[in-house]
Amino acid sequence: MSGPNDTDGGDDHDHGEGGHGDGGPDQGGHREGDHGEDGHERGDGSVSAPDTDEQHPSEPSGSVELSVPGMDCPSCAGKVESSVNELDAVDSVDPQVTTGKVTVAYDPDGAGPEDVADRVEKAGYEIEDGAGEATETFTAPDMDCPSCAGTVENAISRVDGVVDYRTEPTTGKIVVTFDGARTSAEAVSEAIEGAGYEIVDSSVDGDGGVAETESVWRSTRAIKTWISGAFTLLGLLFEFVLGGVNAELLAAGGVALTTADVLFLAAVVAGGQEIVRGGYYSFRNRNLDIDLLMSLAILGAIAVSVGFGESLYMEAATLAFLFSVAELLERYSMDKARNSLQELIDLSPDEATVRRDGEEITVPVDDVAVGDVVVVKPGEKIPLDGDVIEGESAVNQAPITGESVPVDKTPGDEVYAGTINEQGYLELQVTSAAGDNTLSRIIEMVEDAQSNKTEREQFVERFAGYYTPVVVAFAVLVTVATPMVLGATRTESIVYGLTLLVLACPCAFVISTPVSVVSGITSAAKNGVLIKGGNHLEAMGEVDAVALDKTGTLTTGELSVTDVIPLGDRTEAEVLRCAHGLERRSEHPIGEAIVADAEGREVDRRSVEEFESITGKGVRADLDGRTHYAGKPGLFEELGFDLNHVHAATDGGVVTRKSQALCERNDCVDLLETVVPELQAEGKTVILVGSVGQRPTGSRTQSGDTDEEIEGVIAVADEVRPEAEAAVSRLHDLGVERVVMLTGDNERTARAIADQVGVDEYRAALLPEDKVDAVRELDAAGDGVAMVGDGINDAPALATATVGVAMGAAGTDTALETADIALMGDDLSRLPYLYELSHDANGVIRQNIWVSLGAKAALALAVPFGLVPIWAAVLVGDAGMTLGVTGNAMRLSRIRP
């Protein structure tokens, strides 16, 4: 949001050429610093693909950027564009003459990077560095856990030509950047499917999507699981209840199979197929994950039963069934996390009603072009960003800005895709195509936020790399040593080893952080706060100081009239009527504020002649034949007005609070000693209105025998936001140690605003570099500082802070791109909500990490003593902990502003 500069009070203001002078603006520039081209900090150690214009989660969607140095003029670009467009599968061509690059989006089912490169070369231009880099987005719904993602990553990393890759288990997407001269999308797709994960179509809505999956409980795997469970239950009945009829069916080579054993084997076949299949792919891709470990445990139990006659069929069946149940529960819990993002995607409707050739037709939103006129009826969602051209209505902007009260929209106002037209009829002209609107950018950034890993997530991943091998080694040691050390039987020691294999995969431990991050970020987005990465979510919850810009943050950023004090026999309306006439031709924000207030009160207009701007002081004009002035007090002193002895207006004989007993009339006011300083102390700019010349008949003088008359005083200020004081107080209640206001305004205005909102301290008259120094000082004195500004001004300070937070970023591309966190609406109450959410998210992450790790460790240490049956290892150590950490993470969605 950008508003007028900060204004100070009193004599520091110029009131001249074009209006009223500057006080001491909060200054800034375009944000620079450590965010990179996509606005995200990298450096978390993760392998991530760079942002591209085409990252839609279809199967697969692609773009390629080619370096064409010879394309150095518009004519060259035209030839390249025409040649490439001859490919039917090409969606768009963007030749950039200044950089010598051409970016092409295409349907990979009909073309590839090589085809695009061929068309460029046929236009007569050489391509530098082969076919260039291409980025493809694949969707594999079954890749729904860190273990699955690890298997996929191992497979992709072995494809020659792959440059970067990113797996997103929470959305089921894989983003791969590769050198088109060395490999292709088909080769990457084959590698993913070779890892055991089918690539499927996905639902695309706007600029983002989440992999669609069939109902967990009605899936093919669920059916096999229920069959496995039935056989396991029957086997247990024959083993422990119907022992008398548990007949021996086979006895050969020292191996005996009873009815119960056969039922257990049937349970293994039914429930273990998917497990062993996953284990095979994990083994082939050299990934020591839960599928491989469980496959070893199940096959090991069968092998020991057949080879050594130990009869561990029941354990194998129990493992197959319970682990299949655990996998279904994990899929269910991941779907819950995915649904939190899908709710954002579902905000935007699929269709729009467009007026074309005088008719209203319903078309898919993707077919609506910029400039089209869209009709939105009461109760409908607004399908695309646009400007209202006809109609009036209240629009519920909560999905974008988090505002709880609908916002009135009239012609000329901007509306956003995904918001809801409450009551009136609206026609709007589309300003952004589907996939490029505010909601689409929010969705894309929420999805990309997963790649910015928190410090705890990086720690967990490093720890997990050691955890599994250590537990596997412990399993081998327990199997070998317990018979000798603890006197366990050989069968018991084998069961102990198998149980430890079950506990060797840290799935719940690894997933504990990402599900919390996804829950927190998507919950914030639905409440009007866009967090650009898990690292920023974590950092915001740890800061102990918050620095607030004044203009546009603590204040509205727009000047308005706060006081009108009539003098003599004037009324407020008469004072405003004079001021309106004087300021109507002024273009200064102070003059505009006075005119807007007067018109809002519907004052009568006066005829204006001989308008003159007095540079640095004020304005002059003849109103109805009498010369009037409006300006700062110094102007009136120069003109000879007596500002020490003016008469205040009264109401029913009661002298106003500005009055002082200076003469026998008991209604005199010393403007220079009382009124002006009092208003300036409140951070307001004081404008006097006076006249010189012949007064209307019957008017009474205020200045003895002279004809100079002070008619009134008007105070103008950048008003404090209504929610500012409560927001600052709430930050203190939540544990923020220091709340500091930084402003380029003068000391007097800064002190007045600081006292009003309750900040701990303020720093005034700061240049941009001074604000940077202040942020660094706050950071050095504590554990981090969040800087809150408008996203464009104060850019250096925002970039320097631990977390940069932009105010009012909805529809503002620059703020969305540059901020670590963006408050989409001009609502400062979202700041305490952001801190509370981030702080609680850090708590949830800590709980998930230590509880899941502690539970695994406790179970593992209890195994050698026979205290943990194999079913408990599966249900508690795997399924139970996965459900527990996911459910705990979902609690973040209950936090409200």
Side-chain angles (χ1 to χ4, degrees):
M1 190 211 79
S2 65
N5 292 333
D6 282 356
T7 56
D8 66 5
D11 295 346
D12 292 336
H13 275 275
D14 294 332
H15 190 81
E17 190 72 24
H20 311 260
D22 301 320
D26 282 356
Q27 302 178 47
H30 292 288
R31 187 174 186 187
E32 303 169 352
D34 55 358
H35 293 277
E37 291 181 358
D38 62 354
H40 299 291
E41 293 180 1
R42 305 293 185 188
D44 55 14
S46 63
V47 182
S48 62
D51 288 349
T52 68
D53 291 335
E54 294 294 323
Q55 289 191 5
H56 306 294
S58 56
E59 186 277 316
S61 60
S63 67
V64 61
E65 182 182 273
L66 306 176
S67 179
V68 188
M71 185 188 66
D72 55 5
C73 68
S75 176
C76 303
K79 285 188 289 185
V80 170
E81 186 172 4
S82 297
S83 179
V84 174
N85 273 325
E86 290 186 18
L87 292 172
D88 293 335
V90 167
D91 296 323
S92 65
V93 183
D94 181 21
Q96 300 167 355
V97 174
T98 55
T99 60
K101 294 183 182 296
V102 58
T103 302
V104 181
Y106 59 90
D107 179 359
D109 289 334
E114 300 86 353
D115 300 312
V116 175
D118 181 63
R119 294 308 309 172
V120 172
E121 290 173 347
K122 286 184 177 178
Y125 297 91
E126 291 185 2
I127 298 172
E128 191 173 81
D129 297 330
E133 290 186 358
T135 298
E136 306 282 353
T137 301
F138 305 87
T139 302
D142 290 336
M143 187 196 69
D144 57 3
C145 68
S147 174
C148 306
T151 301
V152 171
E153 289 172 356
N154 284 351
I156 294 173
S157 65
R158 291 201 298 274
V159 177
D160 182 45
V162 168
V163 179
D164 282 317
Y165 54 84
R166 182 174 75 244
T167 55
E168 300 175 359
T170 51
T171 57
K173 296 198 302 180
I174 307 121
V175 182
V176 184
T177 300
F178 57 89
D179 184 347
R182 295 159 58 198
T183 190
S184 64
E186 290 74 18
V188 177
S189 178
E190 289 173 2
I192 295 171
E193 293 185 333
Y197 295 91
E198 182 183 3
I199 296 174
V200 300
D201 288 331
S202 65
S203 172
V204 180
D205 192 357
D207 219 25
V210 175
E212 285 189 342
T213 57
E214 59 185 329
S215 170
V216 170
W217 309 115
R218 294 194 300 271
S219 64
T220 302
R221 181 160 193 175
I223 294 171
K224 292 179 179 179
T225 300
W226 309 141
I227 293 173
S228 175
F231 279 123
T232 301
L233 180 60
L234 287 173
L236 291 172
L237 285 173
F238 275 91
E239 183 75 22
F240 297 106
V241 179
L242 305 176
V245 293
N246 187 22
E248 186 174 271
L249 303 180
L250 174 66
V255 177
L257 286 177
T258 64
T259 303
D261 293 335
V262 171
L263 291 169
F264 288 139
L265 283 172
V268 171
V269 172
Q273 293 177 30
E274 295 294 331
I275 301 171
V276 174
R277 176 179 175 273
Y280 162 74
Y281 285 113
S282 298
F283 177 76
R284 199 172 78 172
N285 288 283
R286 297 191 292 276
N287 191 50
L288 189 62
D289 63 3
I290 188 64
D291 284 330
L292 179 55
L293 293 170
M294 289 300 301
S295 297
L296 291 175
I298 292 170
L299 295 178
I302 298 297
V304 169
S305 299
V306 173
F308 301 97
E310 296 291 345
S311 188
L312 297 178
Y313 301 110
M314 181 183 71
E315 284 75 8
T318 304
L319 280 177
F321 169 62
L322 292 179
F323 182 68
S324 292
V325 171
E327 289 289 278
L328 294 176
L329 290 171
E330 184 173 294
R331 170 65 63 82
Y332 173 75
S333 64
M334 184 55 66
D335 283 351
K336 296 282 286 184
R338 287 180 176 177
N339 288 342
S340 65
L341 177 56
Q342 187 65 45
E343 289 174 7
L344 280 179
I345 296 167
D346 291 340
L347 288 174
S348 183
D350 298 323
E351 297 179 327
T353 302
V354 182
R355 178 169 287 128
R356 292 177 179 169
D357 300 325
E359 295 183 0
E360 293 183 5
I361 58 174
T362 301
V363 300
V365 290
D366 290 337
D367 294 341
V368 181
V370 174
D372 278 350
V373 176
V374 172
V375 174
V376 186
K377 297 176 182 178
E380 293 183 344
K381 289 182 179 179
I382 293 172
L384 296 151
D385 286 2
D387 294 327
V388 176
I389 58 175
E390 185 175 333
E392 296 182 359
S393 182
V395 174
N396 181 357
Q397 297 191 153
I400 301 297
T401 66
E403 294 167 286
S404 58
V405 179
V407 179
D408 292 332
K409 297 292 183 178
T410 58
D413 290 338
E414 184 179 14
V415 292
Y416 309 118
T419 56
I420 303 167
N421 180 19
E422 291 283 332
Q423 54 192 25
Y425 171 88
L426 291 176
E427 288 186 13
L428 57 99
Q429 188 168 41
V430 175
T431 57
S432 298
D436 192 37
N437 55 49
T438 303
L439 177 61
S440 298
R441 292 197 299 273
I442 291 172
I443 293 168
E444 183 178 357
M445 290 175 183
V446 169
E447 290 180 317
D448 290 344
Q450 299 172 65
S451 63
N452 288 15
K453 297 181 179 179
T454 69
E455 292 184 7
R456 291 186 180 91
E457 193 169 359
Q458 296 174 57
F459 159 74
V460 165
E461 291 186 353
R462 290 193 300 269
F463 183 86
Y466 296 100
Y467 172 85
T468 299
V470 168
V471 177
V472 170
F474 185 51
V476 174
L477 177 64
V478 166
T479 303
V480 173
T482 49
M484 297 177 289
V485 177
L486 299 176
T489 65
R490 185 170 65 176
T491 300
E492 288 174 338
S493 67
I494 293 173
V495 171
Y496 295 162
L498 297 178
T499 304
L500 284 169
L501 287 181
V502 173
L503 294 171
C505 184
C507 280
F509 178 56
V510 172
I511 206 173
S512 60
T513 299
V515 294
S516 303
V517 168
V518 169
S519 177
I521 289 176
T522 53
S523 176
K526 286 182 284 188
N527 284 287
V529 179
L530 178 60
I531 302 174
K532 302 285 284 293
N535 51 341
H536 305 311
L537 176 71
E538 181 181 56
M540 184 66 198
E542 299 291 346
V543 301
D544 56 13
V546 174
L548 298 162
D549 176 39
K550 181 177 78 68
T551 304
T553 302
L554 287 170
T555 65
T556 62
E558 298 179 359
L559 295 175
S560 60
V561 173
T562 60
D563 299 84
V564 178
I565 304 171
L567 299 173
D569 55 0
R570 297 292 190 275
T571 65
E572 287 191 11
E574 289 174 327
V575 175
L576 283 173
R577 185 165 174 256
C578 287
H580 178 269
L582 288 165
E583 301 285 7
R584 201 164 67 218
R585 298 182 185 181
S586 172
E587 296 180 354
H588 191 278
I590 292 177
E592 292 175 352
I594 293 173
V595 170
D597 187 76
E599 292 181 348
R601 303 192 195 193
E602 299 181 349
V603 301
D604 297 331
R605 291 197 174 193
R606 300 183 66 172
S607 62
V608 181
E609 297 177 352
E610 303 296 329
F611 175 84
E612 178 187 1
S613 174
I614 305 172
T615 303
K617 298 176 181 179
V619 293
R620 184 199 68 81
D622 290 345
L623 304 179
D624 299 328
R626 182 174 172 85
T627 301
H628 283 73
Y629 296 87
K632 63 184 184 180
L635 171 64
F636 287 84
E637 287 185 292
E638 292 179 9
L639 293 172
F641 283 78
D642 183 3
L643 303 184
N644 299 112
H645 186 193
V646 296
H647 287 178
T650 63
D651 182 10
V654 179
V655 181
T656 68
R657 68 183 178 88
K658 307 294 182 183
S659 297
Q660 186 178 57
L662 293 181
C663 71
E664 68 280 358
R665 288 180 49 187
N666 200 38
D667 63 353
C668 288
V669 175
D670 185 336
L671 294 181
L672 295 182
E673 290 295 326
T674 58
V675 178
V676 172
E678 287 178 18
L679 292 171
Q680 290 177 343
E682 296 172 2
K684 300 172 182 178
T685 298
V686 177
I687 303 298
L688 302 185
V689 179
S691 60
V692 178
Q694 184 178 356
R695 294 182 296 277
T697 304
S699 66
R700 101 187 149 191
T701 68
Q702 295 189 166
S703 306
D705 296 329
T706 66
D707 60 357
E708 293 93 4
E709 182 179 10
I710 300 295
E711 300 182 3
V713 180
I714 298 176
V716 177
D718 179 9
E719 287 193 288
V720 173
R721 291 182 182 275
E723 71 276 12
E725 183 179 1
V728 172
S729 175
R730 179 63 178 154
L731 285 173
H732 284 133
D733 293 342
L734 291 171
V736 177
E737 295 181 8
R738 301 172 73 188
V739 180
V740 182
M741 184 182 77
L742 306 179
T743 179
D745 215 333
N746 62 72
E747 173 77 17
R748 181 173 52 211
T749 300
R751 181 173 60 251
I753 300 298
D755 290 342
Q756 188 172 346
V757 300
V759 296
D760 297 305
E761 58 184 282
Y762 66 90
R763 303 186 187 186
L766 300 179
L767 296 173
E769 55 267 31
D770 299 326
K771 292 186 178 181
V772 170
D773 292 339
V775 168
R776 286 175 176 161
E777 181 184 329
L778 291 170
D779 190 22
D783 294 326
V785 57
M787 174 66 193
V788 187
D790 65 7
I792 299 174
N793 288 336
D794 306 304
L798 286 166
T800 303
T802 309
V803 182
V805 182
M807 279 283 294
T812 306
D813 292 346
T814 304
L816 282 175
E817 295 295 333
T818 58
D820 299 325
I821 299 174
L823 308 183
M824 304 304 291
D826 284 334
D827 185 357
L828 201 59
S829 69
R830 292 300 184 271
L831 185 60
Y833 159 76
L834 167 64
Y835 180 81
E836 181 179 11
L837 176 72
S838 302
H839 189 269
D840 287 0
N842 285 341
V844 166
I845 291 171
R846 283 192 293 267
Q847 293 163 13
N848 283 352
I849 289 175
W850 296 116
V851 170
S852 57
L853 180 61
K856 287 271 190 179
L859 290 170
L861 293 175
V863 165
F865 301 98
L867 301 176
V868 181
I870 201 165
W871 62 264
V874 177
L875 289 184
V876 177
D878 189 58
M881 292 312 306
T882 298
L883 280 176
V885 299
T886 304
N888 195 33
M890 292 300 106
R891 291 192 302 113
L892 295 174
S893 63
R894 297 204 296 264
I895 300 175
R896 291 286 184 268

